[in-house]
């Protein structure tokens, strides 16, 4: 099978700066114009039959891509299996709900607070549990995700099962109106956040944290021997991932204007993890593709509404059997920060 | 908080906790055995359980033609019918388990890929199974006719020993002992233990890896099916997502006892069942899972290999 990922990487490597900038601008423009895709006849196949296409682009597509990128730092980059990522999404959402209800802060002011809250939760969960290995971490994070949901469900001040309603939408910013009629504004905000995360992850990857994460992912014991302070970098990875989940939660809450415990089930964690693994763990573009496909597909095939989850499950099984490393896997061997085209593919691991 | 229930209803809670705990033991055997040989969480185990509960319904209603208004059976007839239902639900679950292994794990294992790929394909299989049943049953709960009159065998410290509770406790204990004996005494059991110690070495010793792994899934499926049968005798109704919470609890139980370890599953399941029962009596049923997970985190912090577990020395993600 053709290795699309390496083909793409090779072309990118050969380009000069102007070509790269031009490509990035065109790509961002195309993606930015996606919400209008449903209007033209030649792109009308994009339309989702039941829900509004513009709304689908924000949630689940945009949100899932954003969260998958966040989870990718934890699972793909550092190899820490997190099965409770939805907890951070929920913490962001509930922060937006509470602050929106009891204070006069607007969404942009709440956003950093929500991220900080998720980050604090990430550190609090990470400090004791990141010492554990592999599957124990998986089960503890899974438990944490459920605990957050159950606490929200059973706490009256968090609205119990009805949740928090009438969360304020963001104020008019740069001429963009944010309300139920204007999904596009949210889409562009999410797009900007995704771009920021991509930029951040790419920076991290070639710098010390990225190298430390890679070392931890490949072999923890060796990483310790090489003097990598693994707990510190694991907690960084965990809390950065958490902050991104929190940011997604804040935007989600201000978009739907409503948060309730049943939005934050274990299934969401599984779906986001599926996006990461399905697309190609550790590779940003793969993860984005995975997020787009897995979030968009169930909406697009709503016409078979009853069987769409079934088709979704089948897709997961089939694709994982055909391409176990995901659709766009990471390079087998990463020469971090070194442009070395002579590295033979598939020669190790 | 209501601590007085612990003393006033002690025996009742103990009995319920034992019954629930032993169902957990059986389900977590499925998790723990598969984990032992593959070092993978079998995410589809909750669906294997679910198929087992539907196996009970199918055989009772479609094959034996008992309907919900049917009068209770007695004597030898009852015992034979229950045994037949038990065996059929075990077979249902075992076949599902083999199917899961074939679809979700075998090909990926042959390719020697990362563990998360198998995890996702197992999740996919699990979605397919539960959604398939959801579509067939139209999301409605499915009851099974009561064949066993739930009379009281005896009264003990003011607590009625109901026949179905006793059946669960005795049946689960017998099965647990059988599995434990099987794994520690037979040649196949030895092979399973060998594979769980080192896959590569056991291959060198001439063990047919695929066969051993299939056998492990088969045994795990059989006990999970038995758990499904016992569950149905007590609760008498099932639904397409019945496995989710039970599976989660059983997996927690397996970790609590030390995953990959059969006795660990036993102690873990019992501990969890009893703890759940007492904790929800004291602080309310809605906080049940929170207390369970809090305890789990504490256990992992203080005894990272589980309460009764053997050391898992290597990180494997």
């Amino acid at each position: 099978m053709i290795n699309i990922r390496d083909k793409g990487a090779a072309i990118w490597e050969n380009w000069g700066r102007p070509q790269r900038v031009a490509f990035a601008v065109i790509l961002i423009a195309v993606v930015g114009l996606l919400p209008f895709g449903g209007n033209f006849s030649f792109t009308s196949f994009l339309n989702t039959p039941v829900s509004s296409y513009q709304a689908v682009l924000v949630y689940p597509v945009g949100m899932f891509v954003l969260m998958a990128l966040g989870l990718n730092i934890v699972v793909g980059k550092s190899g820490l299996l997190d099965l409770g990522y939805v907890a951070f999404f929920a913490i962001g959402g509930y922060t937006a709900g509470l602050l929106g209800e009891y204070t006069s802060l607007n969404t942009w002011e709440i956003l950093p607070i929500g991220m900080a809250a998720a980050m604090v939760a990430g550190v609090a969960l990470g400090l004791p549990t990141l010492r554990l290995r592999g599957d124990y971490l998986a089960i503890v994070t899974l438990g944490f995700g459920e605990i957050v949901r159950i606490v929200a469900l059973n706490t009256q001040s968090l609205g119990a099962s009805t949740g928090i309603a009438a969360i304020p939408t963001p104020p008019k910013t740069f001429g963009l109106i944010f309300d139920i009629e204007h999904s596009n504004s949210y889409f562009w905000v999410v797009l900007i956040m995704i771009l920021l995360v991509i930029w951040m992850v790419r920076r991290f990857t070639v710098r010390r944290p990225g190298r430390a994460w890679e070392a931890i992912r490949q072999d923890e014991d060796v990483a310790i021997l090489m003097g990598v302070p693994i707990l510190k970098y694991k907690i960084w990875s965990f809390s950065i991932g958490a902050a991104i989940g929190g940011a997604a939660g804040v935007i989600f809450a201000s978009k739907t204007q409503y948060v309730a415990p049943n939005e934050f089930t274990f299934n969401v964690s599984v779906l986001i993890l599926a996006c990461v693994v399905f697309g190609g763990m550790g590779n940003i573009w793969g993860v984005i593709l995975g997020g787009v496909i897995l979030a968009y597909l169930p909406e697009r095939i709503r016409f078979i509404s009853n069987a769409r989850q079934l088709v979704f499950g089948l897709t997961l099984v089939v694709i994982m059997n055909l391409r176990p490393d995901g659709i766009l896997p990471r390079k087998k061997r990463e020469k971090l920060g070194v442009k070395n085209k002579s590295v033979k593919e598939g020669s190790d691991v | 908080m209501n601590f007085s229930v612990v003393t006033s209803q002690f025996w009742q809670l103990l009995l319920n906790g034992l019954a629930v705990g032993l169902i957990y033991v059986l389900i977590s055997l499925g998790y723990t055995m598969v984990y032992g040989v593959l070092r993978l969480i079998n995410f589809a185990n909750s669906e294997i359980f679910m198929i087992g509960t539907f196996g009970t319904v199918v055989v009772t209603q479609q094959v034996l033609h008992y309907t919900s208004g049917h009068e209770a059976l007695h004597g030898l007839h009852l015992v034979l019918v229950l045994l037949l239902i038990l065996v059929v639900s075990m077979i249902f679950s075992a076949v599902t388990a083999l199917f899961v292994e074939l679809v979700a794990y075998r090909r990926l294992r042959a390719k020697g890929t990362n563990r998360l790929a198998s995890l996702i394909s197992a999740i996919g299989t699990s979605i397919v199974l539960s959604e398939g049943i959801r579509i067939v049953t139209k999301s409605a709960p499915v009851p099974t006719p009561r064949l066993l009159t739930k009379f009281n065998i005896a009264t003990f410290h003011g607590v009625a020993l109901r026949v179905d509770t006793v059946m669960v406790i005795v049946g689960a204990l017998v099965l647990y002992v059988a599995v434990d004996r099987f794994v520690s005494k037979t040649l196949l059991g030895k092979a399973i233990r060998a594979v769980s110690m080192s896959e590569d070495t056991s291959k060198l010793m001439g063990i047919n890896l695929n066969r051993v792994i299939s056998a492990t899934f088969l045994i795990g499926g059989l006990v999970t099916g038995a758990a499904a049968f016992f569950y149905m005798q007590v609760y008498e109704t099932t639904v397409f997502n019945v496995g989710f919470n039970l599976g989660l609890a059983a997996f927690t139980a397996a970790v609590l006892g030390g995953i990959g370890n059969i006795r660990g599953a036993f102690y873990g399941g019992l501990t969890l069942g009893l703890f759940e029962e007492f904790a929800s009596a004291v602080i309310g049923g809605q906080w049940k899972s929170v207390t369970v997970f809090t305890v789990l985190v504490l256990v992992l912090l203080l005894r990272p290999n589980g309460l009764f577990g053997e050391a898992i020395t290597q990180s494997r993600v």
Side-chain angles (χ1 to χ4, degrees):
Chain A
M1 205 174 282
I2 315 162
N3 193 332
I4 316 165
R5 194 237 174 274
D6 289 348
K7 276 266 161 42
I11 295 172
W12 179 261
E13 297 280 313
N14 285 328
W15 275 346
R17 193 173 176 80
Q19 282 151 311
R20 291 185 184 186
V21 172
F23 180 74
V25 168
I26 293 170
L27 190 68
I28 293 168
V30 168
V31 175
L33 292 175
L34 268 183
F36 303 112
N39 300 344
F40 305 106
S41 56
F42 63 98
T43 49
S44 59
F45 65 90
L46 287 172
N47 265 327
T48 43
V50 179
S51 341
S52 142
Y53 166 67
Q54 276 89 352
V56 165
L57 278 183
V58 183
Y59 185 87
V61 178
M63 288 292 162
F64 270 41
V65 170
L66 185 60
M67 283 194 281
L69 283 169
L71 185 61
N72 180 45
I73 299 175
V74 185
V75 180
K77 294 283 177 199
S78 341
L80 306 167
L81 183 51
D82 182 349
L83 290 179
Y85 193 65
V86 71
F88 305 119
F89 185 48
I91 290 169
Y94 271 95
T95 310
L98 285 179
L99 292 180
E101 192 176 335
Y102 297 113
T103 66
S104 56
L105 296 174
N106 71 36
T107 309
W108 312 131
E109 289 154 353
I110 293 174
L111 186 60
I113 303 175
M115 289 171 73
M119 214 162 169
V120 168
V123 174
L125 177 68
L127 268 177
T129 55
L130 286 172
R131 293 170 214 274
L132 305 170
R133 296 183 154 194
D135 296 286
Y136 290 117
L137 182 66
I139 188 74
V140 173
T141 49
L142 192 163
F144 180 68
E146 285 291 287
I147 287 176
V148 168
R149 186 178 67 83
I150 295 166
V151 167
L153 188 64
N154 293 327
T155 309
Q156 284 309 320
S157 56
L158 292 176
S161 63
T162 47
I164 302 173
I167 298 168
T169 53
K172 194 173 171 185
T173 316
F174 302 125
L176 288 176
I177 304 165
F178 291 87
D179 62 26
I180 200 108
E181 305 281 299
H182 295 78
S183 294
N184 294 356
S185 318
Y186 290 98
F187 176 70
W188 290 320
V189 168
V190 175
L191 181 62
I192 290 169
M193 287 164 70
I194 290 173
L195 290 173
L196 284 174
V197 172
I198 294 174
W199 174 77
M200 184 180 78
V201 173
R202 286 176 66 91
R203 292 291 86 194
F204 272 135
T205 306
V206 294
R207 278 171 173 72
R208 186 177 284 267
R211 292 199 299 273
W213 292 337
E214 181 66 19
I216 293 168
R217 185 181 67 82
Q218 290 189 358
D219 195 320
E220 257 179 49
D221 298 324
V222 176
I224 296 171
L225 287 174
M226 300 313 270
V228 178
I230 64 165
L231 187 62
K232 175 181 150 192
Y233 281 111
K234 278 180 172 181
I235 287 175
W236 268 118
S237 153
F238 213 65
S239 50
I240 291 170
I244 295 171
V250 173
I251 300 296
F252 172 78
S254 74
K255 163 80 169 68
T256 56
Q257 302 179 37
Y258 165 73
V259 283
N262 61 6
E263 309 271 354
F264 305 110
T265 56
F266 174 60
N267 282 341
V268 179
S269 301
V270 169
L271 267 176
I272 300 165
L273 180 67
C275 295
V276 174
V277 181
F278 184 86
M281 265 196 299
N283 178 20
I284 303 177
W285 306 109
V287 169
I288 292 174
L289 189 66
V292 170
I293 294 176
L294 294 193
Y296 178 72
L297 183 72
E299 296 294 335
R300 182 68 187 84
I301 59 175
R302 278 237 176 167
F303 54 89
I304 50 166
S305 56
N306 210 13
R308 71 178 199 283
Q309 289 296 333
L310 187 79
V311 174
F312 174 76
L314 275 177
T315 315
L316 283 185
V317 178
V318 171
I319 296 283
M320 287 334 284
N321 270 290
L322 295 177
R323 294 191 69 102
D325 290 324
I327 305 175
L328 288 180
R330 78 174 112 220
K331 278 192 261 184
K332 284 282 183 216
R333 182 179 192 167
E334 282 178 341
K335 279 261 172 176
L336 295 170
V338 183
K339 280 180 198 162
N340 184 349
K341 282 171 224 127
S342 66
V343 177
K344 276 260 169 29
E345 284 312 320
S347 57
D348 73 352
V349 189
Chain B
M1 291 285 184
N2 179 7
F3 284 102
S4 62
V5 284
V6 173
T7 44
S8 64
Q9 298 182 17
F10 179 80
W11 293 102
Q12 181 68 56
L13 293 172
L14 185 76
L15 193 68
N16 293 351
L18 273 179
V20 174
L22 281 162
I23 290 181
Y24 287 164
V25 170
L26 292 183
I27 308 176
S28 57
L29 279 175
Y31 281 106
T32 216
M33 289 186 66
V34 169
Y35 188 90
V37 291
L38 291 183
R39 305 280 155 199
L40 285 170
I41 306 168
N42 180 10
F43 250 89
N45 204 43
S46 47
E47 264 50 60
I48 295 171
F49 173 81
M50 182 269 293
I51 298 283
T53 61
F54 278 95
T56 307
V57 175
V58 167
V59 70
T60 321
Q61 291 192 346
Q62 312 293 327
V63 182
L64 298 171
H65 297 295
Y66 290 117
T67 47
S68 51
H70 197 275
E71 60 189 83
L73 305 173
H74 297 286
L76 187 64
H77 188 191
L78 172 72
V79 174
L80 287 178
V81 166
L82 285 183
L83 269 180
L84 176 70
I85 299 175
L86 170 68
V87 170
V88 173
S89 23
M90 285 168 83
I91 291 173
F92 263 72
S93 288
V95 170
T96 315
L98 289 177
F99 170 77
V100 167
E101 197 268 331
L102 212 59
V103 173
Y105 292 102
R106 181 162 294 183
R107 263 178 68 93
L108 286 172
R109 195 168 62 244
K111 288 188 177 181
T113 49
N114 67 66
R115 303 170 62 240
L116 284 178
S118 326
L119 189 74
I120 298 296
S121 71
I123 290 173
T125 320
S126 145
I127 294 176
V128 170
L129 288 172
S130 72
E131 281 297 308
I133 296 292
R134 186 184 69 78
I135 292 167
V136 173
T137 60
K138 301 185 174 64
S139 312
V142 180
T144 186
R146 177 184 292 192
L147 300 175
L148 175 74
T149 324
K150 297 193 169 170
F151 58 89
N152 295 334
I153 292 181
T155 312
F156 178 72
H157 285 276
V159 174
L161 282 173
R162 255 178 29 187
V163 65
D164 54 332
T165 319
V166 176
M167 184 178 74
V168 169
I169 293 176
V170 174
L173 278 174
V174 168
L175 268 163
Y176 163 72
V177 172
V179 171
D180 186 48
R181 293 289 94 184
F182 180 84
V183 172
S184 58
K185 297 292 179 203
T186 64
L187 195 62
L188 185 56
K190 204 181 215 175
I192 291 175
R193 279 181 291 135
V195 172
S196 72
M197 282 175 195
S198 165
E199 220 171 78
D200 295 332
T201 315
S202 43
K203 256 197 253 175
L204 290 174
M205 297 296 129
I207 291 173
N208 182 337
L209 205 58
N210 277 341
R211 189 178 296 164
V212 170
I213 290 172
S214 290
T216 313
F217 271 86
L218 182 76
I219 298 166
L222 286 174
V223 281
T224 310
F229 167 79
F230 291 127
Y231 175 86
M232 287 307 278
Q233 295 315 309
V234 178
Y235 297 97
E236 297 181 337
T237 178
T238 181
V239 67
F240 71 98
N241 58 6
V242 67
F244 181 76
N245 284 325
L246 274 164
L248 212 60
F251 183 66
T252 309
V255 176
L256 202 62
I259 195 162
N261 171 349
I262 290 179
R263 304 219 164 140
F266 181 72
Y267 297 122
L270 277 188
T271 314
L272 189 72
L274 289 171
F275 183 79
E276 236 184 53
E277 206 62 40
F278 281 99
S280 45
V282 172
I283 56 175
Q286 74 271 34
W287 293 104
K288 190 167 78 177
S289 357
V290 173
T291 42
V292 167
F293 278 118
T294 313
V295 169
L296 180 73
V297 172
L298 290 177
V299 167
L300 287 175
L301 286 181
L302 304 173
R303 292 211 43 150
N305 297 319
L307 281 178
F308 315 96
E310 291 157 3
I312 287 180
T313 47
Q314 280 222 297
S315 65
R316 299 169 196 258
V317 159

